Amino acid sequence: MIRVLGGEKRLCDGVTRRDFLQVGALGLLGMGATAKAAPQNHAASFGRAKSCILLYLYGAPSQIETFDPKPKAPLEIRGDFGQIPTNVPGLDICEHLPRMAKVMDKVSVIRSVTHQYPVHGVAYALTGNPRIELAQELNPRDAGHWPFLGSVVDFVDGRNGAGRPSEVPRNLALPWAFSSKRVGEVARAGPYGGFLGPAYDPVWTEFTGQGTVKAKKTLTTQTWEDFELYRGVTPESRFGLGAVDTAGQGLTIDRLDTRRTLLEQLEASRPDLDRAIEGAGADRGRLMAHSLLRSAKLRNAFDLGGESAETRELYGMTLFGQGALTARRLVEAGGRFVSVFWDEFGLAGTGWDTHWDHYPRMKNELLPGLDQTLSGLLVDLDRRGLLDETLVLVLSEHGRTPKITTGQGGGRDHWS
């Protein structure tokens, strides 16, 4: 049972806030559980989600410069940015989120989240494990890890009779294996199968494309300067499956779009191959690899050429924007849990980890990218009739300190 801790507060109709959130959480993607039910008119609105798109903002965005501004606080707390009204009366957000201000009626902002791990606890945030030591956060295969949210959905679907892996993986993540495109090889835990095993890790994509905007990043004595993909990518950029690791068994699949000959052979021998694999009692990973090789749905979902220029611009021509657009296409194709990570790139300590140059980074890179992509996703899902059945979850590890630091252009430190 999932419970939301906190003081009991009654809503205007007598339903407690705790019960309201508890029932809503238990309805995630239709996975039922025993809970004290709210009145029928509230309970009927939960449990309709057929899929989930997780947007994960690694590094921890500042709540004050996003959805919880403090206009009446002293300058050293409220900061340099102002706030603007939204289409929800009484709900103001940061002035650099103008697109989001127009769609906040489609969003629930939770300002009461708190915990005790201000250490970039990705595993803590993505699994709900009540206690994770720092050493575990740097060891994805520690035996004490709980499974990632998407891994749980994948497991429960299979247990409830979904059968063989579908043409679109139930647990798929973009743009690349988490924390794999930065200087330094320190692994970070979080989006993995945990005690369910590596077979329930997400299926990761690979990104193929070019950046359009150069950026310079500095971390203590390290400097990195190159094209920053989160600021812009070319229209030809795409996502696809690079390699599918079947739980350490060595079976890999090269890029699907370069394996047409193999695909044609598989299609020709498909009935015999299906019987052979099932008869041999093949493991889950091999079944998935076989399924993905011949999945026309998956190939089509990755083909952004099928989208209009207007739709692609709606999401933003950035790595994060085109990743979210691809996530929507994957959901349309039958995907259940699709994650899009705004990850570190090029240098550690980047992404949303704004210890320095806080305001320039927020104004020029981070807030514009989030504003366009998140609003674009909500608008696009809504106009396609998918918003009522798609849960969009925006998540990170922690917040940022109320007071601004003074070094290296100013920043906000960790604040859980």
Side-chain angles (χ1 to χ4, degrees):
M1 178 180 292
I2 301 171
R3 292 193 63 87
V4 179
L5 302 180
E8 183 178 276
K9 296 183 180 179
R10 292 193 175 273
L11 305 177
C12 57
D13 57 3
V15 182
T16 68
R17 175 178 175 273
R18 179 182 295 178
D19 288 338
F20 188 78
L21 290 175
Q22 181 178 334
V23 173
L26 289 171
L28 174 64
L29 304 189
M31 293 189 289
T34 302
K36 179 180 177 181
Q40 185 62 38
N41 62 326
H42 288 293
S45 67
F46 291 115
R48 294 184 301 172
K50 296 179 181 178
S51 55
C52 177
I53 295 175
L54 166 65
L55 304 180
Y56 193 86
L57 310 179
Y58 175 79
S62 164
Q63 68 279 11
I64 296 173
E65 277 81 29
T66 51
F67 298 103
D68 195 11
K70 306 292 185 185
K72 296 181 180 180
L75 179 60
E76 65 270 20
I77 291 177
R78 72 173 183 266
D80 290 353
F81 298 162
Q83 69 283 338
I84 54 176
T86 71
N87 63 352
V88 177
L91 176 60
D92 291 354
I93 60 177
C94 178
E95 64 176 324
H96 295 295
L97 296 172
R99 296 171 187 255
M100 283 303 303
K102 299 177 181 179
V103 295
M104 289 304 293
D105 58 323
K106 297 176 172 56
V107 175
S108 294
V109 179
I110 303 175
R111 290 173 166 169
S112 58
V113 175
T114 183
H115 59 80
Q116 55 188 337
Y117 298 105
V119 290
H120 292 301
V122 180
Y124 180 82
L126 290 180
T127 69
N129 190 337
R131 183 166 183 81
I132 298 179
E133 302 296 334
L134 181 58
Q136 287 180 275
E137 286 285 357
L138 301 177
N139 181 5
R141 298 305 179 192
D142 187 284
H145 279 307
W146 286 14
F148 169 51
L149 286 166
S151 302
V152 174
V153 172
D154 192 1
F155 174 80
V156 172
D157 272 2
R159 186 187 62 181
N160 288 345
R164 292 168 55 106
S166 63
E167 288 189 67
V168 178
R170 292 188 287 254
N171 179 21
L172 200 149
L174 298 84
W176 47 60
F178 179 55
S179 195
S180 65
K181 299 294 184 182
R182 63 187 177 90
V183 176
E185 294 299 327
V186 178
R188 296 191 186 278
Y192 298 95
F195 58 68
L196 293 177
Y200 286 93
D201 288 355
V203 175
W204 291 95
T205 66
E206 281 189 353
F207 171 77
T208 303
Q210 300 293 324
T212 58
V213 179
K214 280 196 172 183
K216 183 177 182 179
K217 303 179 183 182
T218 302
L219 176 64
T220 60
T221 60
Q222 291 180 296
T223 299
W224 178 92
E225 187 169 8
D226 205 337
F227 286 101
E228 170 56 80
L229 302 179
Y230 287 99
R231 296 195 184 202
V233 295
T234 60
E236 296 75 25
S237 299
R238 295 289 187 274
F239 303 88
L241 294 187
V244 178
D245 180 18
T246 59
Q249 304 218 7
L251 178 63
T252 60
I253 303 173
D254 293 332
R255 292 187 181 88
L256 293 179
D257 59 357
T258 64
R259 298 299 296 271
R260 295 175 182 172
T261 301
L262 175 58
L263 183 60
E264 291 167 0
Q265 294 176 37
L266 282 170
E267 290 291 352
S269 60
R270 176 174 170 176
D272 293 336
L273 189 56
D274 283 344
R275 287 192 293 270
I277 289 179
E278 291 170 350
D283 62 84
R284 179 179 184 276
R286 289 178 182 273
L287 288 174
M288 178 181 289
H290 172 235
S291 177
L292 299 186
L293 261 177
R294 54 183 175 81
S295 172
K297 279 188 176 181
L298 192 59
R299 292 197 304 276
N300 292 336
F302 283 130
D303 183 11
L304 294 179
E307 297 290 341
S308 68
E310 183 273 333
T311 299
R312 298 193 69 182
E313 289 292 344
L314 178 68
Y315 284 78
M317 285 305 303
T318 65
L319 182 68
F320 192 60
Q322 298 304 291
L325 172 56
T326 303
R328 187 222 81 204
R329 292 177 61 84
L330 289 164
V331 162
E332 283 184 308
R336 283 277 279 167
F337 200 101
V338 184
S339 305
V340 183
F341 284 77
W342 189 313
D343 203 356
E344 293 172 298
F345 178 68
L347 193 62
T350 53
W352 289 84
D353 198 12
T354 55
H355 289 283
W356 49 84
D357 294 333
H358 177 76
Y359 292 114
R361 290 171 63 189
M362 292 290 283
K363 181 178 179 179
N364 299 325
E365 174 191 356
L366 301 172
L367 291 175
L370 176 63
D371 188 43
Q372 186 164 8
T373 296
L374 179 53
S375 65
L377 175 61
L378 295 174
V379 167
D380 199 25
L381 287 171
D382 192 32
R383 69 187 185 183
R384 290 173 179 271
L386 294 172
L387 191 57
D388 284 344
E389 60 187 44
T390 306
L391 174 66
V392 178
L393 175 62
V394 183
L395 190 64
S396 191
E397 308 96 77
H398 50 70
R400 314 300 298 188
T401 50
K403 287 191 175 181
I404 292 286
T405 60
T406 58
Q408 300 186 64
R412 295 191 189 271
D413 293 331
H414 299 181
W415 186 257
S416 62

